[in-house]
């Protein structure tokens, strides 16, 4: 039997988008205590069913779930092929894992049909039936219809039978491209995946004194804390610099930094890392729309997340991967010198007049910058500015030599000079400024 908490969540989920709710109204309508209603509403807010907006109240919102972007459903296939559904519409949410082209005898193709696959075939009813009976969906090409018996079987097994006017080759190419694109995509990591929750967050009230700050600092070994009012709404942030040399009886509202930079749970880790680097921040408070404190995110949290994202497997290559794969290091006998790289200009890398495209050249420079910084023990780097000068046309099949040189390198930023040579002649030159995120 569902608990009162679950009943309240189900009730809230059933409300129209935009409806206003309150603890009192929930308690009255469902016959529960206000304490139970309050806890359920907070839980509904955490899972994205409602949002509390200052001076408006708590509103039922459209739930925003992170998409499983690595999965391709039969419903998405219908959109890709501009097709329609002849039967088995209840199975459109099922995930496609591979496709099979029905261009052989039924006996020969049986071993290739697996549950969750998609059989691409013309008007061969025997193959259509065989696919459905073995747990596969069916895509009929050429705009052909199917028998009533096949459509009814699809409904019974809840496996879709789709139709498209495209031919088999075109459809296979379109689906293969879609599967490749899904493999390339990485799940976007959000602040909500990495932040420290309020229960584990150390914070101070605006009425706390510097003496209380010092006690908390000694206890936690931290020096930066969010400052909240009695409603747990963020009003500032306090650091060791703010309290240095000041009277212990002063309260936080007298010494704190007001209107600090904040983040929200649905922001991407990439955008937060850029903000941290840009402003030199060690921690950032995480808040709701009404500035209620829900936790904080630290530089260490962001660095770990960035490294995790970089280690995510990718089966298919992006354009960036293809270019980077052609940038090869040159082994030098002098280990003290900066690393050098070589690059061969292939037909895919040129523009309409047969010279290397500006975008490809920029990508080569960016890749060399990243790899040069890694050799200097700086792994978390964001390129902030690139001034690229394309001095001479670089033609197809050119063998380039890229020579990076570090001009300045510090704890938070670096500047590199990168020269591109063709047969010992300078053909391109770039000055790259990048921000560095390192542990402090």
């Amino acid at each position: 039997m569902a608990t009162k908490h679950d009943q309240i969540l189900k009730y809230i989920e059933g409300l129209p988008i935009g409806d206003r709710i309150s603890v009192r109204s929930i308690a009255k309508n469902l016959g529960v205590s206000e304490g139970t209603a309050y806890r359920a509403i907070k839980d509904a807010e955490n899972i994205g069913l409602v949002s509390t907006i200052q001076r408006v109240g708590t509103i039922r919102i459209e739930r925003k779930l992170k998409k499983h972007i690595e999965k391709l459903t039969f419903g998405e296939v219908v959109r890709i092929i501009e097709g329609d559904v002849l039967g088995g519409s209840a199975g459109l949410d099922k995930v496609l894992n591979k496709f099979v082209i029905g261009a052989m005898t039924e006996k020969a193709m049986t071993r290739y049909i697996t549950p969750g696959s998609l059989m691409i075939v013309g008007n061969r009813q025997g193959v259509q039936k065989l696919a459905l009976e073995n747990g596969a969906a069916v895509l009929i090409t050429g705009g052909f219809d199917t028998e009533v018996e096949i459509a009814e079987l699809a409904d019974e097994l809840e496996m879709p039978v789709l139709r498209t006017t495209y031919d088999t080759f075109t459809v296979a190419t379109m689906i293969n491209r879609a599967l490749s694109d899904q493999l390339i995509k990485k799940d976007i990591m959000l602040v909500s995946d990495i932040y420290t929750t309020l229960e584990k967050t150390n914070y101070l009230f605006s009425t706390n004194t510097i003496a209380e700050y010092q006690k908390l600092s000694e206890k936690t070994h931290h020096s930066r804390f969010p400052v909240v009012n009695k409603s747990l709404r963020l009003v500032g942030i306090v650091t060791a610099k703010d309290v240095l040399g000041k009277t212990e009886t002063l309260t936080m509202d007298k010494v704190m930094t007001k209107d600090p930079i904040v983040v929200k749970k649905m922001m991407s880790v990439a955008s937060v890392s850029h903000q941290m680097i840009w402003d030199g921040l060690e921690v950032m408070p995480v808040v709701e729309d009404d500035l209620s404190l829900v936790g904080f995110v630290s530089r260490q949290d962001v660095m770990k997340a960035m490294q995790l994202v970089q280690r995510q497997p990718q089966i298919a290559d992006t354009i960036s991967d293809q270019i980077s794969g052609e940038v090869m290091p040159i082994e030098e006998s002098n280990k003290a010198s900066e690393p050098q790289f070589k690059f061969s200009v292939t037909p895919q890398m040129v523009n309409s007049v047969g010279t290397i495209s500006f975008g490809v050249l920029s990508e080569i420079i960016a890749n060399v910058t990243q790899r040069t910084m890694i050799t200097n023990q700086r792994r978390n780097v964001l390129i902030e500015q690139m001034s690229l000068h394309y001095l001479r046309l670089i033609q197809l099949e050119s063998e380039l030599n890229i020579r990076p040189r570090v001009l300045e390198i510090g704890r938070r930023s670096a500047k590199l000079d990168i020269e591109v040579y063709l047969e010992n002649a300078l053909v391109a030159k770039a000055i790259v400024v990048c921000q560095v995120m390192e542990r402090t």
Side-chain angles (χ1 to χ4, degrees), residues 351-368:
N351 55 27
S352 59
V353 295
T355 60
I356 193 169
S357 76
F358 201 84
V360 170
L361 188 56
S362 299
E363 189 64 43
I364 294 169
I365 300 296
N367 181 261
V368 168

Side-chain angles (χ1 to χ4, degrees), residues 33-170:
S33 69
E34 291 192 358
T36 301
Y38 174 79
R39 287 189 291 272
I41 289 174
K42 293 304 292 182
D43 196 16
E45 194 168 3
N46 290 335
I47 61 178
L49 289 175
V50 300
S51 178
T52 302
I53 303 172
Q54 193 172 3
R55 293 190 294 274
V56 175
T58 302
I59 305 294
R60 171 75 171 94
I61 62 171
E62 183 178 1
R63 189 173 185 180
K64 296 177 181 177
L65 295 175
K66 292 170 69 176
K67 296 179 180 177
H68 296 287
I69 57 178
E70 73 279 5
K71 297 178 181 179
L72 187 69
T73 65
F74 293 115
E76 289 166 332
V77 169
V78 176
R79 178 184 57 79
I80 292 166
I81 63 172
E82 300 173 9
D84 56 346
V85 183
L86 302 180
S89 57
L92 289 174
D93 289 335
K94 292 180 179 177
V95 176
L96 164 70
N97 51 48
K98 72 172 186 177
F99 65 85
V100 182
I101 296 176
M104 56 190 87
T105 65
E106 293 178 23
K107 183 177 179 181
M109 72 175 66
T110 303
R111 64 194 183 102
Y112 296 103
I113 304 172
T114 57
S117 60
L118 177 67
M119 171 61 71
I120 302 176
V121 68
N123 58 344
R124 297 172 61 187
Q125 273 80 27
V127 175
Q128 296 168 16
K129 184 177 180 181
L130 179 68
L132 290 170
E133 289 174 342
N134 285 273
V138 175
L139 172 56
I140 303 172
T141 59
F144 294 109
D145 208 336
T146 190
E147 298 291 336
V148 174
E149 174 193 354
I150 300 295
E152 291 176 347
L153 181 61
D155 289 334
E156 179 186 339
L157 298 176
E158 297 186 349
M159 287 301 293
V161 173
L162 314 177
R163 176 175 60 186
T164 180
T165 56
Y166 290 114
D167 61 84
T168 299
F169 176 79
T170 302

Side-chain angles (χ1 to χ4, degrees), residues 2 43 60 170 195 234 257 264 339 375 390:
D43 196 16
R60 171 75 171 94
T170 302
Y195 81 111
L234 185 75
T257 299
K264 296 182 180 178
T375 64
Y390 195 164

Side-chain angles (χ1 to χ4, degrees), residues 127-394:
V127 175
Q128 296 168 16
K129 184 177 180 181
L130 179 68
L132 290 170
E133 289 174 342
N134 285 273
V138 175
L139 172 56
I140 303 172
T141 59
F144 294 109
D145 208 336
T146 190
E147 298 291 336
V148 174
E149 174 193 354
I150 300 295
E152 291 176 347
L153 181 61
D155 289 334
E156 179 186 339
L157 298 176
E158 297 186 349
M159 287 301 293
V161 173
L162 314 177
R163 176 175 60 186
T164 180
T165 56
Y166 290 114
D167 61 84
T168 299
F169 176 79
T170 302
V171 162
T173 302
M174 294 165 74
I175 296 175
N176 192 54
R177 175 61 185 270
L179 287 169
S180 177
D181 286 348
Q182 299 298 332
L183 291 171
I184 288 171
K185 293 178 182 178
K186 296 178 178 180
D187 196 14
I188 299 172
M189 191 165 287
L190 305 178
V191 170
S192 58
D193 297 318
I194 66 168
Y195 81 111
T196 301
T197 59
L198 184 64
E199 293 75 22
K200 299 177 182 178
T201 299
N202 296 296
Y203 55 88
L204 291 162
F205 289 97
S206 56
T207 53
N208 286 137
T209 63
I210 290 179
E212 290 170 311
Y213 162 88
Q214 291 169 341
K215 288 180 182 178
L216 184 60
S217 181
E218 290 172 4
K219 178 182 175 182
T220 62
H221 304 292
H222 294 151
S223 60
R224 298 173 175 85
F225 303 105
V227 181
V228 298
N229 62 18
K230 62 181 181 181
S231 301
L232 291 183
R233 186 167 295 160
L234 185 75
V235 292
I237 194 164
V238 63
T239 69
K241 182 180 178 181
D242 296 322
V243 304
L244 186 64
K246 295 180 180 175
T247 307
E248 290 188 344
T249 55
L250 282 175
T251 54
M252 292 297 101
D253 59 337
K254 300 293 193 302
V255 297
M256 68 184 183
T257 299
K258 297 180 180 179
D259 300 320
I261 299 172
V262 299
V263 297
K264 296 182 180 178
K265 290 187 289 185
M266 298 309 292
M267 292 176 64
S268 71
V269 171
S271 65
V272 173
S273 68
H274 188 272
Q275 186 79 55
M276 280 188 154
I277 291 174
W278 186 265
D279 292 300
L281 303 173
E282 301 300 326
V283 297
M284 296 179 75
V286 182
V287 299
E288 296 288 8
D289 291 337
D290 65 348
L291 291 181
S292 296
L293 183 68
V294 294
F296 77 93
V297 62
S298 70
R299 179 180 288 257
Q300 285 76 16
D301 295 332
V302 170
M303 286 178 59
K304 288 177 184 176
M306 289 173 63
Q307 290 164 1
L308 179 62
V309 169
Q310 291 165 7
R311 289 196 297 267
Q312 283 184 325
Q314 282 186 216
I315 299 173
D317 284 341
T318 63
I319 293 174
S320 177
D321 293 328
Q322 293 170 22
I323 296 171
S324 301
E326 298 295 326
V327 180
M328 306 299 293
I330 298 175
E331 298 296 334
E332 293 286 335
S333 58
N334 182 7
K335 300 295 183 182
S337 65
E338 296 288 356
Q340 293 188 19
F341 302 86
K342 61 183 179 180
F343 183 86
S344 299
V345 182
T346 62
Q348 293 84 5
M349 307 299 176
V350 299
N351 55 27
S352 59
V353 295
T355 60
I356 193 169
S357 76
F358 201 84
V360 170
L361 188 56
S362 299
E363 189 64 43
I364 294 169
I365 300 296
N367 181 261
V368 168
T369 298
Q370 295 279 356
R371 289 161 74 167
T372 303
M373 293 301 292
I374 288 174
T375 64
N376 284 275
Q377 307 302 314
R378 303 292 196 277
R379 294 185 175 273
N380 297 304
V381 173
L382 291 174
I383 293 177
E384 181 181 300
Q385 183 180 345
M386 181 189 297
S387 177
L388 175 57
H389 302 274
Y390 195 164
L391 305 176
R392 294 189 185 181
L393 294 180
I394 301 171

